[in-house]
Amino acid sequence: MKVDTQKCIGCGLCEEVCPLEVIQVHEKKAKIAEGCCECKTCLKVCPEDALRPDEKYEGEKCTACPVMCVIPEGYFGACKRYVNEKGKVVRKGRIHTYEEVKDIIKGEEDALIEEPLILGIGSGTTYPDFRPSPFIVSGIREGTEIVTVVTEAPLSYSGLKLKIDTDLYIGEETKSVYVLKKGRRKIGHVCTEEYGSKMISLGGVNILTSKDGLFAAKTIYEILLGRWVKLYVEDGATVEISLGKTPVVDGKKEEVMRVGCGSATTGLFAPTMMEAADEIIILDGHITGLFSEHPSGRYLGKKRSPIYIKGKKSTDGRYFLNKGRGIGGTDIERPLDVIEYVDWEKAKEGLTLLITETTGTFYAYFRLKGKEFVEEPPPKEALRFIELLRSSCEKSKVSALFSAGIGGSARAGVTKNPLRLTRAVHEGKVRITIGGARPFVFPGGGINFLVDVEKIKYGSIYLSPTPSFILPIEYTMRRETFEEIGGHIEALRPVEEVLNMGK
């Protein structure tokens, strides 16, 4: 990279973001040391347009990712994985085996405690908490005595993480989510976007204890029961959801989720796209792809078209467009509006252009006539790509993880030494299950978990007006572990005795 010292104001933004830390500011001017790999990260943040690629820069191009670093001999690329060794770009390091890292993985598997002897479903609750859980049973599994403690635990630190498969715009991150229940009630917020999905958090202890808490709890409970619920995003969309069903955003039901972002789509289907059109634009609310400029197009020998599109360029052929209610979750309402300009000196009569989005639901095919793109029916090559794109998409649905913590008083039903129980859980000596479903337990202190609600038997979760959600919990361990953590030995019963109670 080169610095235009006349423009540079020494703000230091380039120094801050340089991944190789080769930029330093001296006397209010940026200076670039040896080892620059031309990743252009500094260029993206410079407010004065004072940085430019050095066209005479010597190095080898790394093709491992879209950044396409130009790495000088003896130095690393921006990700610090690839190095130029004697004029050849190679991955520094070696392949690892699982044996080399298994000691890092905490909590060894113990097949004997993977499944509980009985479930917490239907077990009831003991209160006050220090009393032993309703059922503490032991049984023999492969010659080893196993103990399972079950209860139905009221959990006030709880909420729902919704995953809504859609490429449609629902609103900005952190915006509040409301329901209408005798007025507007705040019940959560928009978290982020994951691959092809929008993430919403509902509930949580602060919302459940707010003035709208009971309304939030009721809404979450309705979702758990599989009912349709209408959510309103602040300055955003109206989202109708039901677990396992296709979401409806602003009245629009998009049956499939995108196959990937616009860049990923070109990476997946580039060989099929080659003959579809002279240029293909994949509109997407995350990254919009411009095929002839994209590395996948270049790799296959696609000739760069004279079409340039709107948006902030990330790397070659990858653009950030504004999000919105337009095509592919962008703010583009009419397909040709994505074009910033055409290099008319290079544009030839008959140039073809296919514009679509990442599900192939929308597409439009154009041919250049004079200085106007005229829409016409797509040829079979373009339709073949669209059909491949459509057939590669998965069905859109709404799914949810229940989040809660059982690191508090709930532990008292298992042991008189709650800290020992927490440690045993993290050491893998005690297996937690929720109605038989295995959750993800967060590392660190406490016993905070996430569990797929669709893996819990329907009707096993209840709502208490404290408000809190009541979930079936099972703690399963070997007998010696139960003794080590100070478990309620006095309450231990043979599992057969409990199973015969109802007969």
Side-chain angles (χ1 to χ4, degrees), residues 24-56:
Q24 290 188 330
V25 176
H26 294 290
E27 298 178 351
K28 296 185 178 182
K29 299 294 177 186
K31 296 184 182 300
I32 302 176
E34 292 185 357
C36 171
C37 67
E38 296 268 318
C39 67
K40 305 181 183 66
T41 307
C42 53
L43 184 151
K44 295 175 182 176
V45 300
C46 180
E48 302 297 323
D49 199 24
L51 291 149
R52 284 282 181 272
D54 186 348
E55 295 178 355
K56 297 180 180 179

Coordinates of all heavy atoms in Angstrom, one line a residue, residues 24-56:
Q24 N 2.3 2.3 11.3 CA 2.4 3.1 12.4 C 2.4 4.6 12.0 O 2.7 5.0 10.9 CB 3.8 2.8 13.1 CG 3.9 1.5 13.8 CD 5.1 1.3 14.6 OE1 6.2 1.9 14.3 NE2 5.0 0.5 15.7
V25 N 1.8 5.4 12.9 CA 1.7 6.8 12.7 C 2.9 7.5 13.4 O 3.0 7.4 14.6 CB 0.4 7.4 13.2 CG1 0.3 8.9 13.0 CG2 -0.8 6.7 12.4
H26 N 3.7 8.3 12.6 CA 4.7 9.1 13.1 C 4.5 10.5 12.7 O 4.3 10.7 11.5 CB 6.1 8.6 12.7 CG 6.4 7.2 13.2 ND1 6.7 7.0 14.6 CD2 6.5 6.0 12.6 CE1 7.0 5.7 14.8 NE2 6.9 5.1 13.6
E27 N 4.6 11.4 13.6 CA 4.5 12.9 13.3 C 3.2 13.1 12.4 O 3.2 13.8 11.4 CB 5.7 13.4 12.6 CG 7.0 13.2 13.5 CD 8.2 13.7 12.7 OE1 8.2 13.9 11.5 OE2 9.3 13.8 13.4
K28 N 2.1 12.4 12.8 CA 0.8 12.6 12.2 C 0.7 12.1 10.8 O -0.1 12.6 10.0 CB 0.3 14.1 12.3 CG 0.1 14.5 13.8 CD -0.4 15.9 13.8 CE -0.7 16.3 15.3 NZ -1.3 17.7 15.4
K29 N 1.6 11.2 10.4 CA 1.5 10.6 9.1 C 1.7 9.1 9.2 O 2.5 8.6 10.0 CB 2.7 11.2 8.2 CG 2.6 12.7 7.9 CD 1.3 13.1 7.2 CE 1.2 14.6 7.0 NZ 0.0 15.0 6.4
A30 N 0.9 8.4 8.5 CA 1.0 6.9 8.5 C 2.2 6.5 7.7 O 2.5 7.0 6.6 CB -0.3 6.3 7.9
K31 N 2.8 5.5 8.2 CA 4.0 4.9 7.6 C 3.8 3.4 7.5 O 3.4 2.8 8.5 CB 5.3 5.3 8.3 CG 5.6 6.8 8.2 CD 7.0 7.1 8.9 CE 7.2 8.6 8.9 NZ 7.2 9.2 7.5
I32 N 4.1 2.8 6.4 CA 3.9 1.4 6.2 C 5.3 0.7 6.1 O 6.1 1.0 5.3 CB 3.1 1.1 4.9 CG1 1.8 1.8 5.0 CG2 2.9 -0.4 4.7 CD1 0.9 1.6 3.7
A33 N 5.5 -0.3 7.0 CA 6.8 -1.0 7.1 C 6.8 -2.2 6.2 O 5.8 -2.5 5.5 CB 7.0 -1.4 8.5
E34 N 7.9 -2.9 6.1 CA 8.0 -4.1 5.3 C 7.0 -5.1 5.8 O 6.7 -5.2 7.0 CB 9.4 -4.6 5.3 CG 10.4 -3.7 4.6 CD 11.8 -4.4 4.5 OE1 11.9 -5.5 5.1 OE2 12.7 -3.8 3.9
G35 N 6.5 -5.9 4.9 CA 5.6 -7.0 5.3 C 4.2 -6.8 4.9 O 3.4 -7.7 5.1
C36 N 3.9 -5.6 4.4 CA 2.5 -5.3 4.0 C 2.1 -6.3 2.9 O 2.8 -6.6 2.0 CB 2.4 -3.9 3.4 SG 0.8 -3.5 2.7
C37 N 0.9 -6.9 3.1 CA 0.4 -7.9 2.1 C -0.7 -7.4 1.2 O -1.4 -8.1 0.6 CB -0.1 -9.1 2.9 SG -1.5 -8.9 3.9
E38 N -0.9 -6.1 1.2 CA -1.9 -5.5 0.3 C -3.3 -6.0 0.5 O -4.0 -6.2 -0.5 CB -1.5 -5.7 -1.2 CG -0.2 -5.0 -1.6 CD -0.4 -3.6 -2.1 OE1 -1.3 -3.4 -2.9 OE2 0.4 -2.7 -1.7
C39 N -3.7 -6.2 1.8 CA -5.0 -6.8 2.0 C -6.1 -5.7 1.9 O -7.3 -6.0 1.9 CB -5.1 -7.4 3.4 SG -4.9 -6.3 4.8
K40 N -5.7 -4.4 1.9 CA -6.5 -3.3 1.7 C -7.4 -3.0 2.9 O -8.4 -2.2 2.8 CB -7.3 -3.4 0.5 CG -6.5 -3.6 -0.8 CD -7.4 -3.7 -2.0 CE -6.6 -4.0 -3.3 NZ -6.0 -5.3 -3.3
T41 N -7.2 -3.6 4.0 CA -8.0 -3.3 5.2 C -7.9 -1.8 5.6 O -8.9 -1.2 5.9 CB -7.5 -4.2 6.4 OG1 -7.5 -5.5 6.0 CG2 -8.4 -4.0 7.6
C42 N -6.7 -1.3 5.5 CA -6.5 0.1 5.9 C -7.3 1.1 4.9 O -7.9 2.1 5.4 CB -5.0 0.5 5.8 SG -4.2 0.0 4.2
L43 N -7.4 0.7 3.7 CA -8.1 1.5 2.7 C -9.5 1.6 3.0 O -10.1 2.7 2.8 CB -7.9 0.8 1.3 CG -8.4 1.5 0.1 CD1 -7.6 1.1 -1.1 CD2 -9.9 1.1 -0.2
K44 N -10.1 0.6 3.6 CA -11.5 0.6 3.9 C -11.9 1.5 5.0 O -13.1 1.9 5.1 CB -12.0 -0.9 4.3 CG -11.9 -1.9 3.2 CD -12.2 -3.3 3.7 CE -12.0 -4.3 2.5 NZ -12.2 -5.7 3.0
V45 N -11.0 1.9 5.9 CA -11.3 2.7 7.0 C -10.8 4.2 6.9 O -11.1 5.0 7.7 CB -10.8 2.1 8.4 CG1 -11.5 0.8 8.6 CG2 -9.3 2.0 8.4
C46 N -9.9 4.4 5.9 CA -9.3 5.7 5.8 C -10.4 6.8 5.4 O -11.0 6.7 4.3 CB -8.2 5.7 4.7 SG -7.4 7.3 4.5
P47 N -10.6 7.8 6.2 CA -11.6 8.8 5.9 C -11.1 9.8 4.9 O -11.9 10.6 4.4 CB -11.8 9.4 7.3 CG -10.5 9.3 8.0 CD -9.9 8.0 7.6
E48 N -9.8 9.8 4.6 CA -9.3 10.9 3.7 C -8.9 10.3 2.4 O -8.3 11.0 1.6 CB -8.1 11.5 4.4 CG -8.4 12.2 5.7 CD -9.4 13.3 5.6 OE1 -9.3 14.0 4.6 OE2 -10.2 13.4 6.5
D49 N -9.2 9.0 2.1 CA -8.8 8.4 0.9 C -7.3 8.6 0.6 O -6.9 8.8 -0.5 CB -9.6 9.0 -0.3 CG -9.6 8.2 -1.5 OD1 -9.5 6.9 -1.4 OD2 -9.8 8.7 -2.6
A50 N -6.5 8.4 1.6 CA -5.1 8.6 1.5 C -4.3 7.4 1.2 O -3.0 7.4 1.1 CB -4.6 9.2 2.9
L51 N -4.9 6.2 1.1 CA -4.2 5.0 0.9 C -4.6 4.4 -0.5 O -5.8 4.4 -0.9 CB -4.5 4.0 2.0 CG -3.9 4.4 3.4 CD1 -4.8 3.9 4.5 CD2 -2.5 3.8 3.5
R52 N -3.6 3.9 -1.1 CA -3.8 3.3 -2.5 C -3.0 2.0 -2.6 O -1.9 1.9 -2.1 CB -3.4 4.3 -3.6 CG -4.4 5.4 -3.8 CD -5.6 4.9 -4.6 NE -6.5 5.9 -4.9 CZ -7.5 6.2 -4.1 NH1 -7.7 5.6 -2.9 NH2 -8.4 7.2 -4.4
P53 N -3.5 1.0 -3.4 CA -2.6 -0.2 -3.6 C -1.4 0.2 -4.4 O -1.5 1.2 -5.2 CB -3.6 -1.1 -4.5 CG -5.0 -0.6 -4.1 CD -4.8 0.9 -3.9
D54 N -0.3 -0.4 -4.2 CA 0.9 -0.2 -4.9 C 1.0 -1.1 -6.1 O 1.2 -2.4 -5.9 CB 2.1 -0.4 -3.9 CG 3.4 -0.1 -4.6 OD1 3.4 0.2 -5.8 OD2 4.5 0.0 -3.9
E55 N 0.8 -0.6 -7.2 CA 0.7 -1.5 -8.4 C 2.0 -2.2 -8.8 O 2.0 -3.1 -9.5 CB 0.2 -0.6 -9.6 CG -1.2 -0.1 -9.5 CD -1.6 0.8 -10.6 OE1 -0.8 1.0 -11.5 OE2 -2.8 1.2 -10.7
K56 N 3.1 -1.6 -8.2 CA 4.4 -2.2 -8.5 C 4.9 -3.1 -7.4 O 6.0 -3.5 -7.3 CB 5.4 -1.1 -8.7 CG 5.1 -0.2 -10.0 CD 6.2 0.8 -10.2 CE 5.9 1.7 -11.4 NZ 6.9 2.7 -11.6

